[in-house]
């Protein structure tokens, strides 16, 4: 028996070794050098597009279809900053890399990770004062780094080479955004485990078909979470489909120590659950069997034969119609829009609307409390990097013809810069909509029909945080309205089940979602996207005014009417006055006004935030995920401007304990009247999956608006011309040309 | 003294006579013949486009820009119906006219008005059974008429010439939709009054500058309202601007008996309020002084060099991509969409989604209880005719190039048909949006980017109910979603005021709105648009299921999570179970399911109604306007199908007392489970005007969706192809061609 056991062990060991060797080749490599080099590993590794100062960027991505007049996609290695808010350049990244590598703090350690390296923006007053032609304020970088399992926050002065270390981690919980190399680097850790290999084999999955995901494990105040950075790895089979998400190896969760790269524990509860067959889940065009029944369209295209009407100066300053703003890519936020100004048609003056706007954090809790699912409560910006996950846009499909594409330049985990090509696009959109119109009718006996077409400018990125795709749009309209829109597409996170028909499910059993296909449940979840909106309406000092719409009963004899609605205005004094939950039956408008600036007839100038369809978080406020994502406790918040309060879930969101959130800041209840204040808006979605979401989801969108309210003296697009036939292009089909 | 008084009276009389003579020429004529003839009066009079069987339609409206391949704008006098739901044709209108004129009921009276004449649709079962090639079911017309101050409802059988009279007016209150000639015909009634002429003159308004509006007076249970049809006339000065709405003669209200055409009383309370100067309120392009500062766009256009991808068969059957539906113009509803079907990509079968959908009623209460404003609580469909007010669309501006235009053919007050040209447009839209997408990211080491552009089909009309313009869109998406969208533009209804700056307004005074310009207040109001949605999901018998999203607390020890959200399904048994008020903190999905039809894995097939931004009516339920518009008491209702329950405010809405509304029907609490049922959805807007709305409003939009939920086995647009460069057209600027 003894020898038999030994033999079994030997065979098993050989198998495991073999598997490990094979996997080593097939999975992304696990770099263990100080400076990562993944040129030999993943084709997608961020180092692939690493920029060497002596060589051209290794950018294999096809170039967008451009009108020949648009010059872009310059070589980024010679970029220089032109504006105080311009992102760090290749040369600056290289300099930071050199400064840090030589710094005693890093010199003394054998291994560290630079999790984020980004511009430390100059003080707001400096930026506002700065004019083109002025020298730039001192260039600085903010760096978050993991050294010996601890979070660090550093500032590097690029002029003086000085490094200052701010030990925020002694004050707040959590870890920095994962570097892409860290996410990839944990995926082969489970393979070190015999138990893991055995169960994979027992479930009939070939190691070559294994696809695993690094799933942020949240924080649940458990002993295992203390003093270590954890991640959970769950795996799928990619046999016969590129859409491995539809073939989960259900119930198998490997808890990994992210820094030590070792397995902490394995939970394996789904051995009786078959892996779904994945038939017809591959969504790629190349594998579709097209039949004649699906009618295709004649080509339809947004055409601008004279080219687009916007310009991008110095790589970042977008000018279009009556708008001007600074646009850049950011590894954590994705898109950052700054110094948004709109031209007043009465005075021709450019007037400030918003100093800075971006998606500050996301919260995506899944609604299944069982072992393999309860922890799925993603905070995609702070944990994964919303910009890091924004893959190159597909020209003609992600954005129409004549789009302008902007690259991201980020730092790899070792600090060397790399290129995220075509990460953001900018384009003009015309959907056939109407900016304003009026016809006179027979009643008035006037023959008037005046209609103006509506053309917008869209700034877009698409972040694919593993399975889900978030399409983030900032839409600028000529009437002064800014629409922030989120589209959800991509692939559901699904759960394996033994059921292949609803009639097998006992009536008392709750599935936590919808049976989408045989052995596949789409688990219910929410999405919340919290926007940081530093509105500066005609200057920094603003007030937040709630215009409450209230039923007013008339007095007896006052009117044949019993009631009417009255607008009751209340200016918020402190932060708690501005913690707002939206109510259909107690409605309000939410104005950001400048109390010192009035229109000709005496209304304070303002912008209002206009919610549209949305969802609120209904989790228990004391539930650990909700505590960490307490920024979703209200739809609207207003805080005094504070340079350090930009990330709604805190600076270090990974495994954070909820001690550094917007809720914590706002509860200080600081004065916010006639001050430099920031408005936060959370857009939400409840998602009960349905079969139409399988195997890939049609886009679902929602949005909110920032809209001028007594900001202009009158309709700012009164002078917009209509379309005349001779304005429009002459087109012919490509195959007839 | 006596003679002096006589002289004064003589002079005044001469003045009044002179004024009356002048006005007679300038205002629309007041026809008093049985068969109206307004060929000599208003250029806009519905008779202008009157169709004579011997002549071509007198259609002065310019034709839309068409691709030469599209044939349309046939001569309507030879139209024949091809489908059971096709609207009445010119020949049918003429026949009805002849039948009624010869009928004893009308022969015996000297004067009557046909308020509405429209197809009496055949029974639903007949329509559903009918197939192309079958003979049409009997053609019938529904007629509402005013005879001797009483409402009548008649049915005319076009095959048998039989007329049946259904005395609904003995059961329900109210009067039919006003005929256009009635609205116009009351405008000169005030001129018969010396008092009116005197006050107009005293306010310094030249009779030649007078512009008056017929304002439905509502119903307030006042003795004056008993047994007569009333309307209120309010006037404006059109001196120096086409935008007379901005120059109200405030406080002057003339109560007119609509049938007797006489003044009942005059209320004149605003003599101290100056008429606003109207400077810069003319919005027409031709009068704008353009300056170089307003940047214009390079041309941008939706181009389809191979033409649109939809067809309109037999004038009404629209086929596009996977959709097919019947489309027609209606004088009361505007657009009616019927027999909406979508093709299932798995089976190629056309599947029923909705039997009929249209805007059933509007409710627009103004929030000012004072004498000249309290009654402004419009119900635009039932009072004014939403389709009657839908003026010709402006090609290239109201709808893009390649749009198809559909005419309306309606009956004038005397029953003769007339043409409403270009009333509805149909076009394909591409805004640069994304139907679905997914990119794989570095984590998964797969190189996949698949993106599909989103092309929609839009059906549009624009109804200008005097000042306001409603842009009504039905948007069909290839993923099975139908979006019903309402855009509000046009001109505010404003109130004159003595104030020209907010600092003159005492702090305790409430203005009922916003000071928009000197002497002009934009009064707060709501808009509600109630849709009739006879969803027939894969057949007529459906159930309404509320999927309530509820917080579920976990049991101690069950999970590290304290809570999650659970979907709790409840099928409505009776109507009261389906009277729904939307709640952000008690959210639900609202499914219309077919309990007899399941997907492969056993989910009932369904469509859900998905609200977006909306507003609820907050008026007192016992307030007379709210009682009349009780259909706005909930956002969602479900009623059993009943052919006579189509108009949410009742058949006779004008001066109705709220005894025939959706609320009354629904309160019967009839069973609605697994029955042919109708869903009603109300889209609402609170509108606190702002200066940007002056002098013409930038479009504000909101919408709701009808969305497949387990209707398809899987994503129905999986096989949609991406755009390839060679698909797209080759264009050049018009001036370079």
């Amino acid at each position: 028996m003894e020898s038999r056991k030994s033999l079994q062990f030997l065979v098993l060991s050989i198998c495991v070794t073999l598997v490990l060797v094979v996997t080593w080749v097939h999975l992304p490599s696990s770099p263990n050098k100080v400076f990562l080099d993944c040129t030999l590993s993943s084709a997608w590794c961020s180092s692939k597009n690493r920029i060497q100062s002596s060589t051209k960027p290794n950018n294999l991505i096809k170039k967008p279809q451009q009108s020949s007049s648009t010059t872009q996609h310059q070589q980024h290695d010679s970029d220089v900053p032109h504006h105080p808010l311009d992102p760090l350049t290749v040369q600056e990244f290289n300099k930071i890399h050199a400064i840090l590598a030589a710094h005693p703090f890093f010199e003394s350690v054998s291994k560290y990770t630079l999790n984020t390296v980004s511009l430390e923006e100059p003080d707001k007053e400096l930026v506002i004062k700065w004019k083109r032609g002025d020298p730039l304020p001192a260039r600085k970088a903010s760096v978050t780094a993991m050294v010996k399992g601890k979070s660090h926050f550093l500032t590097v002065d690029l002029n003086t080479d000085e490094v200052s270390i701010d030990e925020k981690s002694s004050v707040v919980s959590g870890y920095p955004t994962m570097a892409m190399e860290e996410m990839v680097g944990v995926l082969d850790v489970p393979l070190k485990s015999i138990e893991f290999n055995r169960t994979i084999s027992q479930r009939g999955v070939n190691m070559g078909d294994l696809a695993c995901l690094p799933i942020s494990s949240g924080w649940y105040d458990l002993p295992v979470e203390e003093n270590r950075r954890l991640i959970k790895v769950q795996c799928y089979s990619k046999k016969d489909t590129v859409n491995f998400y539809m073939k989960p190896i259900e119930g198998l969760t490997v808890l990994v120590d992210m820094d030590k790269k070792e397995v902490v524990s394995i939970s394996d509860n789904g051995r009786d659950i078959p892996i779904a067959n994945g038939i017809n889940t591959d969504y790629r065009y190349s594998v579709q069997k097209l039949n004649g029944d699906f009618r295709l369209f004649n080509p339809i295209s947004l055409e601008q034969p004279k080219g687009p009407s916007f310009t991008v100066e110095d790589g970042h300053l977008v000018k279009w119609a009556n708008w001007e703003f600074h646009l850049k890519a950011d590894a954590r936020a994705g898109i950052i829009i700054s110094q948004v100004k709109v031209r007043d048609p009465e005075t021709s003056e450019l007037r400030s609307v918003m100093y800075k706007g971006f998606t500050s954090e996301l919260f995506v809790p899944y609604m299944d409390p069982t072992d393999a699912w309860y922890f799925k409560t993603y905070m995609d910006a702070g944990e994964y990097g919303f910009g890091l996950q924004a893959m190159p846009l597909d020209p003609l499909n992600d954005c129409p013809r004549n789009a302008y594409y902007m690259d991201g330049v980020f730092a790899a985990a070792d600090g060397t810069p790399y290129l995220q090509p075509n990460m953001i696009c900018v384009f003009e959109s015309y959907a056939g909509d109407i900016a304003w119109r009026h016809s006179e009718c027979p009643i008035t006996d006037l023959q008037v029909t005046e209609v103006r077409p509506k053309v917008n400018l869209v700034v877009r990125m698409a972040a694919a945080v593993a399975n889900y795709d978030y399409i983030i749009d900032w839409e600028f309209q000529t009437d002064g309205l800014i629409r922030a829109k989120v589209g959800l597409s991509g692939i559901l996170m699904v759960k394996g089940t033994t059921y292949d028909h609803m009639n097998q499910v006992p009536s008392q059993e709750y599935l936590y979602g919808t049976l989408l296909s045989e052995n596949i449940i789409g688990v219910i979840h929410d999405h919340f996207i919290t926007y940081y909106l530093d509105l500066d309406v005609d200057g920094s000092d603003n007030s937040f005014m709630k215009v409450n719409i209230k039923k007013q009963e008339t007095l007896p004899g006052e009117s044949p009417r019993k009631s009417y609605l009255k607008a009751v205005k209340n200016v918020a004094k402190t932060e708690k006055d501005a913690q707002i939950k939206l109510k259909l039956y107690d409605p309000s408008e939410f104005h950001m006004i400048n109390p010192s600036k009035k229109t000709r007839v005496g209304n304070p100038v303002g912008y209002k935030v206009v919610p549209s369809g949305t969802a609120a978080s209904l989790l228990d406020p004391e539930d650990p995920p909700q505590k960490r994502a307490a920024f979703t406790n209200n739809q609207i918040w207003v805080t005094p401007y504070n340079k350090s309060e930009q990330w709604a879930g805190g600076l270090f969101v990974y495994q954070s304990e909820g001690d550094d959130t917007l809720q914590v800041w706002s509860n200080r209840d600081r004065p916010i009247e006639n001050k430099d204040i920031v408005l936060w808006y959370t857009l939400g979605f409840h998602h009960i999956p349905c079969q139409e979401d399988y195997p890939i989801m049609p886009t679902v969108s929602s949005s909110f608006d920032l809209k001028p309210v007594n900001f202009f003296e009158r309709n700012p697009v009164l002078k917009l011309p209509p379309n005349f036939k001779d304005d429009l292009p002459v087109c012919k089909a490509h195959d007839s040309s």
Side-chain angles (χ1 to χ4, degrees), chain A:
Chain A
M1 286 297 278
E2 268 293 291
S3 64
R4 218 165 144 176
K5 267 196 179 160
S6 298
L7 193 68
Q8 280 182 345
F9 182 77
L10 189 68
V11 171
L12 192 67
S13 298
I14 291 170
C15 286
V16 168
T17 312
L18 217 71
V19 158
L20 282 173
V21 168
V22 170
T23 318
W24 202 259
V25 178
H26 285 85
L27 274 180
S29 74
S30 160
N32 53 8
K33 283 177 285 178
V34 174
F35 294 127
L36 303 171
D37 177 6
C38 54
T39 45
L40 297 172
S41 63
S42 166
W44 274 104
C45 169
S46 59
S47 296
K48 193 199 70 167
N49 294 320
R50 189 167 295 200
I51 299 164
Q52 310 293 338
S53 45
S54 55
T55 63
K56 288 181 182 185
N58 173 17
N59 172 4
L60 299 176
I61 310 303
K62 68 176 167 163
K63 284 286 182 283
Q65 312 302 330
Q66 289 304 320
S67 65
S68 56
S69 63
T70 321
T71 59
Q72 57 177 94
H73 284 285
Q74 41 182 314
Q75 302 306 328
H76 291 285
D77 47 2
S78 57
D79 283 356
V80 285
H82 292 93
H83 186 283
L85 299 176
D86 279 357
L88 295 172
T89 62
V90 168
Q91 290 175 13
E92 288 174 329
F93 276 117
N94 284 330
K95 187 167 181 191
I96 295 159
H97 179 190
I99 293 170
L100 291 180
H103 192 274
F105 187 74
F106 293 100
E107 243 191 342
S108 61
V109 292
S110 65
K111 193 180 160 198
Y112 63 85
T113 309
L114 303 184
N115 292 70
T116 58
V117 182
S118 60
L119 179 76
E120 166 80 14
E121 292 187 357
D123 284 346
K124 195 168 161 178
E125 313 88 78
L126 291 178
V127 177
I128 290 171
K129 262 192 229 147
W130 183 87
K131 277 180 190 56
R132 209 177 172 181
D134 291 354
L136 291 183
R139 297 283 288 175
K140 293 182 186 174
S142 296
V143 177
T144 61
M146 286 300 295
V147 183
K148 295 183 190 160
K150 285 225 165 342
S151 313
H152 298 275
F153 183 83
L154 304 94
T155 308
V156 181
D157 188 316
L158 281 150
N159 297 47
T160 62
D161 294 10
E162 219 171 303
V163 178
S164 67
I165 302 172
D166 177 357
E167 281 312 338
K168 286 193 203 295
S169 59
S170 60
V171 196
V172 295
S173 62
Y175 300 104
T177 306
M178 289 182 282
M180 191 65 90
E181 291 81 351
E182 289 178 328
M183 302 175 213
V184 176
V186 298
L187 296 181
D188 53 359
V189 173
L191 299 170
K192 296 176 187 171
S193 153
I194 293 171
E195 188 187 342
F196 178 82
N197 285 282
R198 184 170 36 203
T199 195
I200 292 297
S201 156
Q202 280 167 353
R203 296 211 190 193
V205 177
N206 281 324
M207 278 297 165
D209 291 330
L210 202 62
C212 301
L213 292 179
I215 301 181
S216 57
S217 51
W219 169 82
Y220 289 88
D221 202 8
L222 304 171
V224 71
E225 294 164 333
E226 268 170 49
N227 297 317
R228 54 178 163 186
R229 193 158 62 127
L230 296 171
I231 194 157
K232 288 185 170 172
V233 177
Q234 293 190 329
C235 300
Y236 301 80
S237 165
K238 59 184 175 194
K239 187 170 190 303
D240 300 331
T241 182
V242 73
N243 193 350
F244 62 85
Y245 301 102
M246 293 300 127
K247 294 171 74 80
I249 301 172
E250 191 54 45
L252 177 64
T253 310
V254 185
L255 183 64
V256 171
D257 183 311
M258 212 191 301
D259 293 297
K260 292 194 180 145
K261 299 225 160 109
E262 59 186 36
V263 172
V264 176
S265 65
I266 295 183
S267 176
D268 190 7
N269 298 318
R271 266 165 288 195
D272 58 329
I273 299 173
I275 293 168
N277 63 31
I279 290 172
N280 289 333
T281 58
D282 194 337
Y283 48 87
R284 289 174 301 172
Y285 184 64
S286 56
V287 305
Q288 300 306 315
K289 289 175 209 81
L290 296 175
N291 56 38
D293 290 325
F294 196 87
R295 286 183 55 158
L296 302 180
F297 306 112
N298 287 341
I300 181 166
S301 177
L302 279 168
E303 291 298 331
Q304 302 176 279
K306 291 190 175 175
S309 305
F310 64 89
T311 57
V312 184
E313 284 182 16
D314 297 333
H316 295 282
L317 196 65
V318 181
K319 295 182 175 184
W320 174 76
N322 45 347
W323 286 103
E324 188 176 311
F325 57 89
H326 186 275
L327 171 64
K328 65 178 165 185
D330 182 78
R332 182 162 178 176
I335 292 172
I336 293 181
I337 309 254
S338 303
Q339 294 201 292
V340 181
K341 295 171 189 170
V342 66
R343 196 171 300 277
D344 191 311
E346 316 278 322
T347 62
S348 298
E349 175 204 1
L350 269 177
R351 295 171 61 191
S352 165
V353 173
M354 182 162 69
Y355 182 72
K356 192 173 181 180
F358 59 93
T359 47
S360 173
E361 192 51 271
L362 289 89
F363 177 46
V364 188
Y366 281 72
M367 300 304 173
D368 181 338
T370 61
D371 176 69
W373 281 83
Y374 77 88
F375 54 88
K376 292 178 184 175
T377 55
Y378 304 98
M379 293 164 78
D380 288 320
E383 292 179 341
Y384 292 89
F386 208 38
L388 276 190
Q389 310 297 336
M391 294 298 107
L393 295 162
D394 184 23
L396 300 187
N397 290 301
D398 269 321
C399 319
R401 206 175 232 180
N402 293 312
Y404 170 94
Y405 292 84
M406 187 181 280
D407 301 337
V409 179
F410 301 142
D414 65 357
T416 57
Y418 74 93
L419 187 65
Q420 193 84 302
N422 290 6
M423 177 181 148
I424 299 173
C425 72
V426 183
F427 63 90
E428 281 164 290
S429 167
Y430 167 62
D433 285 336
I434 298 168
W436 58 260
R437 86 176 308 286
H438 185 59
S439 303
E440 285 294 329
C441 70
I443 298 171
T444 61
D445 198 24
L446 288 165
Q447 294 206 31
V448 176
T449 300
E450 294 279 335
V451 191
R452 303 296 179 268
K454 184 173 204 160
V455 178
N456 302 325
L457 185 80
V458 179
V459 174
R460 174 174 293 167
M461 73 159 196
V465 193
N467 55 313
Y468 245 98
D469 291 51
Y470 292 88
I471 302 156
I472 301 293
D473 282 3
W474 288 89
E475 189 179 281
F476 294 84
Q477 304 190 358
T478 52
D479 61 6
L481 185 146
I482 304 172
R483 176 161 294 174
K485 191 164 136 190
V486 176
L488 305 177
S489 187
I491 300 172
L492 283 175
M493 184 147 272
V494 301
K495 179 174 181 168
T497 174
T498 56
Y499 302 123
D500 53 29
H501 196 282
M502 282 305 291
N503 61 17
Q504 299 160 349
V505 184
S507 63
Q508 72 280 10
E509 188 174 335
Y510 179 69
L511 293 185
Y512 306 107
T514 308
L515 191 68
L516 298 180
S517 181
E518 289 79 0
N519 309 114
I520 287 293
I521 291 168
V523 176
I524 297 172
H525 56 280
D526 286 344
H527 298 265
F528 299 100
I529 303 96
T530 298
Y531 284 78
Y532 173 98
L533 303 162
D534 181 5
L535 291 169
D536 278 6
V537 179
D538 261 340
S540 291
D541 287 352
N542 289 175
S543 291
F544 178 72
M545 183 169 74
K546 207 169 102 170
V547 183
N548 194 203
I549 299 170
K550 279 225 163 297
K551 182 175 74 171
Q552 174 78 45
E553 311 269 349
T554 54
L555 300 170
E558 181 186 352
S559 170
R561 285 270 285 271
K562 284 195 200 305
S563 62
Y564 63 101
L565 304 191
K566 198 168 170 175
V568 181
K569 297 175 181 174
N570 276 301
V571 173
K573 305 282 180 214
T574 63
E575 288 175 287
K576 285 189 181 171
D577 294 340
Q579 294 182 353
I580 308 273
K581 290 183 172 67
L582 300 175
K583 288 172 190 162
L584 187 67
Y585 278 87
D586 181 16
S588 291
E589 287 193 358
F590 307 101
H591 295 203
M592 190 70 106
I593 56 167
N594 186 326
S596 326
K597 181 104 190 285
K598 302 269 165 82
T599 60
R600 196 183 67 239
V601 297
N603 293 306
V605 302
Y607 255 73
K608 60 180 173 181
V609 58
V610 185
S612 179
T614 192
S617 185
L618 305 176
L619 293 176
D620 190 309
E622 291 306 310
D623 205 350
Q626 188 59 38
K627 251 178 108 168
R628 298 176 63 223
F631 51 87
T632 63
N633 286 351
N634 297 297
Q635 285 78 54
I636 294 175
W637 315 69
V638 179
T639 56
Y641 175 81
N642 179 331
K643 202 176 170 183
S644 73
E645 293 175 4
Q646 298 214 42
W647 306 107
L651 177 68
F652 297 135
V653 160
Y654 199 93
Q655 229 166 300
S656 66
E657 301 174 13
D659 50 348
D660 185 28
T661 70
L662 175 52
Q663 173 83 68
V664 173
W665 314 330
S666 169
N667 276 356
R668 287 183 209 140
D669 208 18
R670 296 161 290 188
I672 53 170
E673 190 180 359
N674 202 6
K675 295 212 173 307
D676 189 1
I677 50 181
V678 175
L679 191 145
W680 306 76
Y681 183 79
T682 295
L683 182 63
F685 299 82
H686 295 301
H687 190 172
I688 303 176
C690 59
Q691 287 185 231
E692 286 79 2
D693 294 331
Y694 173 90
I696 190 160
M697 293 178 278
T699 308
V700 172
S701 296
S702 196
S703 64
F704 67 93
D705 295 341
L706 301 172
K707 194 175 172 189
V709 56
N710 305 316
F711 182 81
F712 295 108
E713 290 293 345
R714 55 187 189 139
N715 181 334
V717 284
L718 194 64
K719 295 185 177 182
L720 210 62
N723 273 336
F724 295 103
K725 186 165 182 276
D726 288 355
D727 293 337
L728 300 186
V730 178
C731 302
K732 51 187 177 178
H734 187 273
D735 52 19
S736 71
S737 65

